[in-house]
Amino acid sequence: MVRGRILPVAALLFAGTAVVQLTSTAFLTVVSRREALQAAAGAAAVLGAQAALADAQGEPIAALRIRGPQIWAMRKDVEAGDFKKVLKKEGQWQNLNSYWRNQKDEYDKKVAITETALIAAKNQDQAALQAAYNEYMSDPVFDCIKNPPPPTRGKVVNLEASGRNPYQGDPKATENLPYFGVGKTSASVES
């Protein structure tokens, strides 16, 4: 029984191998090493261009949505001159700078302002830290974090998605949902 199944499969494999061996030399073209390298370089350039299109698939907005409120909430520490808390946020500031990574000039400007602020915090220079922080946060992109729009009723909305509100049947609970990660609620925004 097993023998009956193996014989046709073996015959088919043998015939397929013979066909490949006979036809492979018929269509073989001779390619020089230079042509092969040029073809490989061309393929790498095309594949590299496709990889470049993969930038900005939500990462800049995610950096702004996640790190923006954290840096905005740091304003009280900057005003109070709490240099240790400011220095602890260095990584978050650098992550927020990645929002501008595809805009070279703006990215370099934000990195320079961040470095100025962190140097001022290390030197415990409150005036320079406050000036650098105010310059950094003066960018219009932070308007959505400083003054968030009121949320829609029945949905929880952020910069990336809209989802189901777990308190859809309870308007009071919906009003008290935290809003955009800065401690505000829709009730405090509307009043």
Side-chain angles (χ1 to χ4, degrees):
M1 182 102 169
V2 173
R3 187 182 214 177
R5 291 183 189 168
I6 294 177
L7 189 58
V9 172
L12 186 61
L13 285 174
F14 178 77
T17 305
V19 168
V20 169
Q21 288 294 330
L22 292 174
T23 60
S24 65
T25 56
F27 300 107
L28 185 63
T29 58
V30 178
V31 178
S32 70
R33 191 177 340 168
R34 176 179 287 170
E35 290 173 343
L37 286 174
Q38 287 173 344
V46 169
L47 292 175
Q50 289 174 349
L53 293 176
D55 283 349
Q57 291 185 356
E59 294 93 347
I61 292 295
L64 180 64
R65 183 183 61 80
I66 295 167
R67 303 298 180 205
Q70 295 171 352
I71 299 301
W72 173 242
M74 192 173 67
R75 69 189 179 283
K76 295 174 186 167
D77 299 329
V78 171
E79 290 171 4
D82 193 349
F83 303 113
K84 286 185 180 181
K85 283 188 179 177
V86 171
L87 290 172
K88 281 184 179 180
K89 300 279 186 178
E90 178 179 359
Q92 293 175 353
W93 233 341
Q94 291 172 351
N95 287 341
L96 180 57
N97 287 342
S98 71
Y99 174 80
W100 293 278
R101 71 175 182 215
N102 295 330
Q103 305 163 10
K104 178 96 170 101
D105 296 335
E106 195 67 26
Y107 177 77
D108 292 341
K109 178 182 168 186
K110 294 297 181 188
V111 167
I113 294 170
T114 302
E115 288 176 2
T116 302
L118 292 172
I119 289 171
K122 286 176 187 169
N123 296 334
Q124 298 187 353
D125 183 1
Q126 206 275 333
L129 174 61
Q130 185 71 49
Y133 180 80
N134 289 342
E135 182 182 358
Y136 190 88
M137 294 305 291
S138 68
D139 194 313
V141 77
F142 293 115
D143 289 344
C144 65
I145 294 170
K146 295 176 188 175
N147 303 310
T152 58
R153 293 287 177 229
K155 296 281 185 180
V156 176
V157 180
N158 63 23
L159 289 176
E160 295 170 329
S162 172
R164 188 179 79 75
N165 181 354
Y167 306 110
Q168 199 155 354
D170 187 2
K172 198 67 172 165
T174 299
E175 286 180 6
N176 294 325
L177 281 173
Y179 186 67
F180 205 63
V182 292
K184 294 182 181 179
T185 62
S186 59
S188 65
V189 172
E190 291 173 359
S191 59

